Amino acid sequence: MEGSRKRRAAVEGDPKKKKKRDGKEKKRKKDKAEETETRQNGDTRATVNPGDADPQKKKKRDGKEKKRNKDKAEETETRQNGETRATVNPGDAGRAYTVSLALPGSILENAQSAELRSYLAGQVARALTIFAVDEVVVFDEQGADRKGAEGESPGAGKHGHGSVQLARILQYLECPQYLRKAFFPKHKDLQYAGLLNPVDSPHHMRRDEESPYREGVVLEQHGAPGASASASANCGLYKEVTIDRKLQPGTRVTVQMEGNSAGRVVAPHVPRTRAGIYWGYTVRLASGLGDVFTGCPFKGGYDLTIGTSERGTSVDDVSLPPFRHLLLVFGGLQGLESSLASDRRLRVAEPSLLFNLYLNTCPGQASRTIRTEEAILISLAMLRPKITARATRTGSGGCTDAR
């Protein structure tokens, strides 16, 4: 004890030793304070790390941390928004079955203005996309023979014009935004189409979005004719995409991407049948109710046809049989009875005789009438679980029609 007191007194009497001892004490207190702050804030990066002395290692570690945080944020956003396109995998099981929907173009003629006609068509397009309908058939209740949506349209209420205008707007909304200028010249039927809600289908790609497939348009080739067996296409990317076929400029193509600047042309149904990705709908015009069935683009025709009516069997009491190509048909303002009466080629007394199933998809309705655009949403929502449960999922599911 006496010796310790003497040594302490000797240190206190030496200014250099006293200064050294005070420095150690100060450093010990600083280290203790930093440790306490680190423990309180949960910040482990403040802990002494031998790599901090190397700027390159510190930069690399910070980069990994930044990427990890970004990936976590994207994962959270994907889960919250229900966005599945970012997780599409070409190895996923494909979908061989198809769902087609038929409705009369006369539903537009019940709208009071051009704006409302366009809005109604937009509602139909949204419903088709939400429930992954592969084909929409617009038939004419007045028997006009129309095979396409081209040509001039005299105005709503004229012979067959409702079908043509509805088909044209549906085609416009299905087309990816970056391709519309190439396929849709200015037309009065599309006057208000730019104001409609986008369908935001999986094939409507953003410029920086990655996907195994993209829609494109073949571009004009500059150079000696026949010099190359390939062509270029605008697929909505920063650069043109080189495709493996030399096709007519202006042709719409589905491209399976091989990197960011090359790809090969595939059939429009390939994203659906191979990867299970919904790839939009095709639009077909029919001159009448009978032409809806006879003009089927699928090999073997529709193997399950369903008509909708308030006089049909309740959808709650029905199970669907197995199928590959389903057709769901809606009537106009007067129902399918009026559509049947206007088609002189059909020799049946009741519309129920045309279909495998004749269903009331909204039993117990309180309103006297259900509008066609409302009936589409109701029917597809009621039938969706029955469709996915009974659909045939193997096979090519090909279509002879081109989009």
Side-chain angles (χ1 to χ4, degrees), residues 45-65:
R45 288 178 296 179
T47 306
V48 176
N49 191 329
D52 290 344
D54 189 338
Q56 291 185 347
K57 289 184 179 180
K58 185 175 184 301
K59 185 177 180 180
K60 185 176 181 180
R61 190 181 68 251
D62 291 345
K64 289 182 179 179
E65 181 71 18

Side-chain angles (χ1 to χ4, degrees), residues 327-389:
L327 173 66
L328 183 62
V329 184
F330 296 87
L333 302 177
Q334 305 299 324
L336 283 172
E337 291 79 7
S338 176
S339 302
L340 175 61
S342 64
D343 195 327
R344 299 175 182 177
R345 293 173 295 180
L346 294 175
R347 305 293 183 182
V348 294
E350 294 290 334
S352 59
L353 301 176
L354 293 172
F355 306 97
N356 300 120
L357 296 172
Y358 199 56
L359 302 181
N360 178 3
T361 55
C362 188
Q365 67 186 63
S367 175
R368 291 189 181 91
T369 57
I370 296 179
R371 298 173 63 91
T372 303
E373 64 272 21
E374 298 168 342
I376 291 173
L377 283 169
I378 295 170
S379 301
L380 290 174
M382 295 295 290
L383 290 172
R384 188 191 67 82
K386 299 176 183 291
I387 289 173
T388 55

Side-chain angles (χ1 to χ4, degrees), residues 123-133 173-174 198-204 278 280-281 380:
Q123 287 182 295
V124 174
R126 287 280 303 166
L128 297 173
T129 305
I130 290 170
F131 290 99
V133 173
L173 292 175
E174 185 277 335
V199 297
D200 204 19
S201 181
H203 67 300
H204 288 201
Y278 176 64
Y281 53 80
L380 290 174

Side-chain angles (χ1 to χ4, degrees), residues 62-76:
D62 291 345
K64 289 182 179 179
E65 181 71 18
K66 186 176 181 181
K67 184 177 184 300
R68 186 160 54 247
N69 292 337
K70 182 180 178 181
D71 292 343
K72 187 175 181 180
E74 289 178 351
E75 182 183 353
T76 302

Side-chain angles (χ1 to χ4, degrees), residues 95-98 100 134-135 267-270 272-274 282 296-302 324-325 394-402:
R95 174 171 68 88
Y97 72 89
T98 64
S100 299
D134 303 292
E135 179 199 24
H269 66 77
V270 168
R272 168 179 59 83
T273 56
R274 293 187 184 175
T282 59
C296 175
F298 304 106
K299 186 177 180 180
Y302 304 112
R324 288 194 59 189
H325 303 296
T394 58
S396 63
C399 171
T400 57
D401 255 9

